[in-house]
Amino acid sequence: MDAVPPNPASFAPATGTAPPHQARRSGRRGRRLPPGWRKALKAAHVAVSVGLLGSDASVLALTAAGRLGSDPVTVYPAAHLIGELLLLPLAVLALAGGVALGLLTPWGLLRHWWVAISLALTAGGTVLAALVLVPGLGTAASASLAGRPVAGATGLVRDSGAACCVLVATVVLSYVKPFGTVRRPGPALPAGPSGPAG
């Protein structure tokens, strides 16, 4: 009968503290949401993201119609209203929900490439919506209501189309989850008697 090999951990001195990897794990577990709350947060984030994609697609359809010759007084004020009251708040909520999911679930914010890339895309899209797209829609709406020609109609189509592409990319990343985990540099090895380890 073969003898069972002894467990190496049974020979380790008892220090009263957990190993570092267990301490990290328990620290992360303390920040995690219970499963019910995690599902609720995920459902809310998905609903907000779908609403954001829908509002962005609506703005794209309106700006494309304006570029193709539809009545500017009908198109651009409606696009600006959607951008200001729906698109921008939903973009901020989607970003906040993504950060909350990263911090309060096992995925983390910077542990997986797909999460980090999605976060960067969502943050960039939110900034561009706030600083470029919605102000541009406001300028176009004011010009059309004043009876002036709308300058930059092609740029509005390009900007709203780019925002739609970013949102579709984040959906694909969330579904496929590519690229694995982010590799962090390990601790430096101590130098031996003959110099640095090589």
Side-chain angles (χ1 to χ4, degrees):
M1 183 164 123
D2 293 336
V4 177
N7 182 1
S10 62
F11 296 109
T15 59
T17 60
H21 66 280
Q22 287 182 0
R24 281 195 303 269
R25 233 182 268 142
S26 63
R28 280 194 219 113
R29 198 176 295 127
R31 289 192 313 234
R32 290 182 189 168
L33 290 176
W37 285 103
R38 188 165 64 233
K39 287 178 183 176
L41 178 59
K42 186 177 179 183
H45 179 64
V46 168
V48 166
S49 299
V50 168
L52 175 59
L53 183 56
S55 61
D56 206 354
S58 301
V59 169
L60 175 59
L62 287 167
T63 55
R67 178 67 183 85
L68 294 174
S70 293
D71 182 15
V73 177
T74 302
V75 168
Y76 292 109
H80 180 244
L81 192 64
I82 293 171
E84 196 170 43
L85 298 183
L86 283 177
L87 193 149
L88 194 53
L90 288 172
V92 172
L93 283 173
L95 179 61
V99 170
L101 279 170
L103 291 174
L104 300 174
T105 65
W107 288 112
L109 279 180
L110 301 174
R111 293 178 60 212
H112 299 269
W113 278 113
W114 73 269
V115 176
I117 294 169
S118 295
L119 178 64
L121 288 173
T122 305
T126 302
V127 170
L128 289 176
L131 300 181
V132 177
L133 181 58
V134 173
L137 292 170
T139 302
S142 299
S144 63
L145 290 172
R148 299 191 308 270
V150 174
T154 303
L156 291 173
V157 175
R158 181 194 61 229
D159 293 342
S160 54
C164 278
C165 290
V166 165
L167 292 171
V168 169
T170 60
V171 169
V172 171
L173 284 170
S174 300
Y175 181 74
V176 177
K177 297 178 177 58
F179 310 129
T181 56
V182 177
R183 295 181 189 271
R184 293 201 175 100
L189 295 174
S194 61

